[in-house]
Amino acid sequence: MHLLRELPCKGLKPNAISYYSILHALFRSEKCGAACDLFDDMQAAGVVPNIPTYCILLDGLCKNGYLAEALSVVSMLNSNGIYLDIAVYTTIIDGLCKDRKLESARDIFDNLSSKGLMTNVITYNTMMNGLCQGGLLDKANELLVKMEENGCKPDDVTYNTIVKGFLKRERYREAMTLLEEMRARGFSADISTSEIVVDLLLAKSQDPAQLEMIKRILPTSKYGVENTK
């Protein structure tokens, strides 16, 4: 902040990138008041915020519990005819999901195409994670199918997200089906998924066939499947 204020004295004018970097740091440090003041100072100095700056603002507001303020910013931008890209809406969807406003998040998600926006894998993963966290696993599974129907290929994050959702709810049959599908596509379970599989699945079943299948799917588990028998 001190260096930023010194720039005019050196004949230099801060640009959007200068403010962007500090805004990002302030929000990560949970200094929301200072970040919002800096955003106001930025505009007062005649620096027009760009889309990445608005993304930082919205992400910072959402992650620090200021969802209403974030939605107000989006409403203002829409009213002013400012184009908002998929990254902005993904940020808002994530904020709504974390605030357990899944219906509102799904409404925004379902209307993205009407805004001329192409839903990407990050947006799908964000919505899917929200549904899984809310216990709406069947909806998450439906979204996985819809995702591919719409030409968006799932990635390893997609599968790990939904597999963990089913495992945490002890819906092991669906989880195993998805794990096999994940493996067939060349993806592997991440560390947190592997830990859940070892801690939950192996603890609840000693069926040899199931254990062998799990060893094939998770051969490099952190804990080692053999050691959990």
Side-chain angles (χ1 to χ4, degrees), residues 11-226:
L12 300 172
K13 183 177 180 179
N15 58 20
I17 297 174
S18 308
Y19 286 99
Y20 174 100
S21 302
I22 300 178
L23 280 171
H24 184 56
L26 289 171
F27 276 122
R28 288 191 64 182
S29 301
E30 300 182 358
K31 299 182 185 297
C32 298
C36 290
D37 288 343
L38 182 64
F39 187 78
D40 291 339
D41 292 344
M42 171 183 177
Q43 295 177 93
V47 179
V48 179
N50 53 18
I51 290 298
T53 305
Y54 276 117
C55 279
I56 285 296
L57 175 67
L58 293 169
D59 184 63
L61 290 172
C62 289
K63 287 182 176 176
N64 285 281
Y66 294 94
L67 182 61
E69 288 79 359
L71 293 172
S72 178
V73 171
V74 171
S75 178
M76 178 272 292
L77 294 172
N78 283 325
S79 298
N80 292 338
I82 297 176
Y83 172 79
L84 302 180
D85 65 10
I86 192 66
V88 172
Y89 284 104
T90 300
T91 296
I92 292 299
I93 290 169
D94 184 52
L96 287 167
C97 287
K98 288 176 178 174
D99 202 44
R100 300 185 181 277
K101 293 181 170 60
L102 291 178
E103 287 189 16
S104 298
R106 193 61 191 264
D107 285 342
I108 292 176
F109 181 88
D110 290 340
N111 286 307
L112 289 173
S113 59
S114 67
K115 300 178 184 294
L117 296 171
M118 181 69 70
T119 311
N120 59 31
V121 67
I122 298 174
T123 311
Y124 273 107
N125 290 348
T126 300
M127 188 71 249
M128 196 173 296
N129 184 61
L131 293 171
C132 288
Q133 292 296 324
L136 302 176
L137 300 175
D138 293 326
K139 293 292 184 183
N141 211 12
E142 290 172 9
L143 191 61
L144 176 62
V145 175
K146 181 180 178 182
M147 179 180 184
E148 295 213 65
E149 289 176 349
N150 291 340
C152 184
K153 295 294 184 182
D155 60 10
D156 59 331
V157 175
T158 311
Y159 278 104
N160 277 288
T161 296
I162 193 167
V163 166
K164 280 185 281 193
F166 277 108
L167 288 174
K168 288 177 180 178
R169 299 282 173 166
E170 300 186 5
R171 292 177 60 174
Y172 302 124
R173 181 175 299 176
E174 294 99 324
M176 291 304 305
T177 298
L178 288 163
L179 277 167
E180 289 184 304
E181 184 178 325
M182 178 198 302
R183 183 170 176 264
R185 289 177 178 239
F187 300 129
S188 59
D190 61 22
I191 291 176
S192 58
T193 302
S194 300
E195 288 174 345
I196 296 173
V197 171
V198 173
D199 293 344
L200 296 180
L201 275 176
L202 297 187
K204 291 183 177 295
S205 174
Q206 294 298 317
D207 181 83
Q210 188 183 48
L211 290 173
E212 183 60 33
M213 180 169 58
I214 296 170
K215 284 193 285 185
R216 290 201 307 270
I217 294 170
L218 301 174
T220 58
S221 170
K222 175 182 176 182
Y223 297 116
V225 174
E226 293 81 1

